[in-house]
Every structure is written in C-alpha cells, then in structure tokens.
Amino acid sequence: MHSLLFQMMKHINITAKIDVCDYAELSPQDKSAVDAAKEATQTAYAPYSRFQVGAAVRLVNGTIVAGNNQENVACPSGLCAERTALFYANAHYPHAAVDTIAVAAYANGDYTDKPITPCGACRQVIVEAQSRYKHPIRMILYGKKEVYLVAQITDLMPLAFAEF
Ligand SMILES: [Zn+2]
C-alpha cells in the first residue's frame, strides 16, 4: 500500500539561484546600498544579542533608507533590521517601489565574513512588498569574504503565504 502511494505522488523540486561575488565586484549603486547597510549596523540597539544588523532599502527613485535591529528586554517586542528599514520606507514613500535591500551584520568588533540572510518573518514581509509594488526586490547580502546577490525575494521564500 505504501509503495503504491509513493508511485502516485508527484514532486515539486524547488531551486534558487544565488550569485556569489565580493564587494569589489558590485556596481557603484549596489556598493552605496551595502555601505548604508554597514553604516546602519553601528547604530543598532542590540544589547541582548550583541549582533548588530543593518539594512538599506533602495527605492526605484534612488532614495536609500536604512534601518537596524531594535531589540527589547521582552524579546519578541523588538524588530529586525530588514523590517525596520522596509516599514520606514513604506511609511514615508508609499508610492515608490522597493528595488533592492542590502543587509550587513556586525559582531565581535567586525563585519561578518559570511552574508547573513533574512529571517522567515522578514522574508514574508519583503515578499508582500514585492507583490504590492509589482516590482522584483533584489537582495544584496553582505559578508566580508563573499556577497550573495538574489534576483528577487521569492527566490529566498518559495511558496510564500499569499491571499492572491
Ligand atoms: Zn527578520
């Protein structure tokens, strides 16, 4: 019975292509976004994790808005850098589509060697911004030794929850 069921099953294979480069290979525009994310790590409020994350949202009009993680002693009350920056951008520029989000992290006195990736909740929120503006949101995930370039957020969150 079990083997018969297995034969009837279809499969969906999910793949994501992520380009890997280093900072020097980025375009001047992308370097600016990464620089803003790196700078934002320095004013993060992260006394509990001591893991300072910065995010920079570049809108289609070229405006860059940065944010960082804001922690709270009541742990779930804080917010990640990505959502801090994105919500600020959407609040102040509700008619400008989001083009790119750069993320960087600083811990133990230096930027991380490897890129950090957004948590699931942030991915869900970024997916909705992509749908809202009908414009792919690129992600630039910074690490000192390598940088991940993601063509659109849905590459990082296949089968995201959506009403549509
Ligand atoms: Zn997050």
Side-chain angles (χ1 to χ4, degrees):
M1 188 63 190
H2 179 265
S3 64
L4 179 63
L5 189 65
F6 185 76
Q7 286 168 17
M8 291 165 61
M9 269 197 273
K10 293 180 184 175
H11 300 280
I12 298 170
N13 292 312
I14 296 170
T15 58
K17 184 175 80 72
I18 294 171
D19 293 318
V20 181
C21 67
D22 61 43
Y23 177 84
E25 296 174 279
L26 295 174
S27 69
Q29 203 179 27
D30 285 351
K31 279 181 181 160
S32 301
V34 168
D35 292 348
K38 288 172 71 178
E39 188 182 343
T41 64
Q42 299 306 301
T43 50
Y45 179 63
Y48 306 106
S49 70
R50 299 185 190 283
F51 193 77
Q52 297 168 233
V53 182
V57 173
R58 188 176 66 225
L59 305 172
V60 290
N61 65 16
T63 301
I64 292 180
V65 164
N68 46 36
N69 51 331
Q70 297 291 320
E71 295 181 349
N72 188 275
V73 65
C75 196
S77 302
L79 194 62
C80 302
E82 297 92 325
R83 277 178 286 165
T84 301
L86 184 57
F87 288 156
Y88 183 94
N90 291 164
H92 289 268
Y93 304 94
H95 304 297
V98 175
D99 185 75
T100 299
I101 301 177
V103 185
Y106 186 93
N108 302 314
D110 204 355
Y111 296 100
T112 55
D113 284 340
K114 289 189 147 268
I116 63 148
T117 56
C119 77
C122 285
R123 292 180 201 205
Q124 179 70 40
V125 167
I126 300 167
V127 163
E128 183 147 335
Q130 178 171 288
S131 301
R132 173 182 177 182
Y133 294 108
K134 298 179 175 50
H135 184 89
I137 298 181
R138 296 173 61 234
M139 301 294 298
I140 309 172
L141 307 173
Y142 173 79
K144 274 192 305 176
K145 297 201 168 154
E146 58 185 11
V147 176
Y148 292 169
L149 295 170
V150 182
Q152 55 180 337
I153 185 60
T154 34
D155 291 340
L156 291 184
M157 197 171 200
L159 306 180
F161 173 75
E163 284 188 308
F164 31 87

